[in-house]
């Protein structure tokens, strides 16, 4: 159970996770709306840089109001101190799974998918948000209004907000030197 200022989320089941958090499928109780809730692992809540990075993700992603970007519903800290982000619940497959299952994809399909990804990134860049971890597993394909490949760009976990952070804050939250992301999905330059 996560309690925010005006929101109460009931967590139904774990659906994923990673090094810094766990993702649950849940319900926004008052609205009866399905949500995905990402919670920062409790043992990491003492790491102030990580906490600020998690809060930055919520703030950066919540600014985005684009059909092809995941929508943030709420964020906060629950009663036991766990930081969370509640977002729209998506039902579909990520692009890495689609590629694995259906390779090779026809060129017109690739163009439709990637034009939506680029549209979402254009909106993010207009708001000063740089994704920095774009890869097939962070691109969800859902069905919407008869379109089976409707794109949702997800996981702004290492996003950089260009306008909000002071230079000193940005320097502290952005690790210099190490490379973030997977080698397979990085540009060569």
């Amino acid at each position: 159970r996560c309690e925010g200022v005006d929101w109460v989320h009931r967590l139904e089941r774990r659906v994923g996770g990673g090094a810094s958090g766990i993702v649950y499928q849940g319900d926004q109780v008052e609205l009866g709306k399905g949500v995905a809730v990402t919670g920062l692992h409790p043992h990491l809540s003492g790491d102030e840089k990580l906490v600020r990075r998690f809060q930055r993700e919520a703030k950066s992603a919540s600014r985005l109001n684009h059909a092809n970007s995941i929508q943030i519903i709420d964020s906060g800290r629950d009663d036991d101190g766990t930081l969370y982000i509640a977002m729209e619940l998506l039902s579909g497959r990520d692009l890495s799974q689609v590629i694995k299952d259906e390779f090779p994809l026809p060129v017109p399909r690739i163009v439709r998918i990637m034009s939506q990804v680029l549209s979402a990134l254009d909106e993010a860049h207009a708001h000063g948000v740089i994704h920095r971890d774009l890869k097939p597993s962070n691109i969800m394909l859902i069905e919407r209004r008869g379109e089976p490949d409707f794109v949702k760009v997800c996981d702004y976990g290492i996003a950089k907000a260009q306008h909000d952070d002071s230079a000193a804050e940005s320097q502290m939250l952005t690790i210099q030197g190490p490379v973030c992301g997977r080698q397979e999905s990085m540009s060569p330059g």
Side-chain angles (χ1 to χ4, degrees), residues 19-99:
S20 63
I22 301 172
V23 181
Y24 295 93
Q25 179 180 332
D27 189 44
Q28 200 292 322
V29 177
E30 289 182 29
L31 297 177
K33 181 177 185 170
V35 293
V37 178
T38 300
L40 187 65
H41 286 305
H43 71 276
L44 299 174
S45 62
D47 182 336
E48 202 52 44
K49 283 185 185 179
L50 199 55
V51 167
R52 286 197 311 263
R53 199 173 283 140
F54 189 85
Q55 291 168 329
R56 181 178 66 185
E57 173 189 4
K59 187 174 182 180
S60 296
S62 72
R63 271 194 237 141
L64 305 179
N65 186 20
H66 191 277
N68 297 118
S69 288
I70 190 147
Q71 298 299 299
I72 302 299
I73 297 168
D74 186 23
S75 71
R77 194 179 291 262
D78 95 7
D79 291 341
D80 71 0
T82 302
L83 288 165
Y84 68 90
I85 300 172
M87 60 204 88
E88 69 180 308
L89 181 63
L90 301 176
S91 178
R93 296 184 297 160
D94 67 50
L95 184 55
S96 65
Q97 189 63 51
V98 171
I99 292 168

Side-chain angles (χ1 to χ4, degrees), residues 11-189:
L11 305 181
E12 304 291 335
R13 66 184 179 95
R14 181 181 172 156
V15 293
S20 63
I22 301 172
V23 181
Y24 295 93
Q25 179 180 332
D27 189 44
Q28 200 292 322
V29 177
E30 289 182 29
L31 297 177
K33 181 177 185 170
V35 293
V37 178
T38 300
L40 187 65
H41 286 305
H43 71 276
L44 299 174
S45 62
D47 182 336
E48 202 52 44
K49 283 185 185 179
L50 199 55
V51 167
R52 286 197 311 263
R53 199 173 283 140
F54 189 85
Q55 291 168 329
R56 181 178 66 185
E57 173 189 4
K59 187 174 182 180
S60 296
S62 72
R63 271 194 237 141
L64 305 179
N65 186 20
H66 191 277
N68 297 118
S69 288
I70 190 147
Q71 298 299 299
I72 302 299
I73 297 168
D74 186 23
S75 71
R77 194 179 291 262
D78 95 7
D79 291 341
D80 71 0
T82 302
L83 288 165
Y84 68 90
I85 300 172
M87 60 204 88
E88 69 180 308
L89 181 63
L90 301 176
S91 178
R93 296 184 297 160
D94 67 50
L95 184 55
S96 65
Q97 189 63 51
V98 171
I99 292 168
K100 187 178 182 182
D101 293 346
E102 301 178 34
F103 185 82
L105 301 181
V107 171
R109 186 177 185 195
I110 294 169
V111 170
R112 277 194 314 275
I113 291 168
M114 293 312 297
S115 66
Q116 293 175 75
V117 170
L118 293 173
S119 183
L121 294 177
D122 181 55
E123 173 74 9
H125 293 175
H127 285 18
V129 176
I130 311 299
H131 192 287
R132 299 196 320 174
D133 194 26
L134 190 63
K135 58 189 175 190
S137 62
N138 287 338
I139 299 168
M140 289 291 294
L141 300 181
I142 64 173
E143 185 168 335
R144 180 173 284 173
R145 296 186 185 147
E147 170 63 47
D149 288 331
F150 191 86
V151 167
K152 285 289 190 171
V153 176
C154 304
D155 196 359
Y156 286 81
I158 60 173
K160 179 169 177 53
Q162 300 236 311
H163 302 309
D164 279 354
D165 299 335
S166 68
E169 175 81 2
S170 181
Q171 189 78 1
M172 285 175 28
L173 295 179
T174 303
I175 300 168
Q176 300 296 318
V179 178
C180 295
R182 291 180 175 221
Q183 185 177 5
E184 305 87 43
S185 56
M186 292 180 170
S187 67

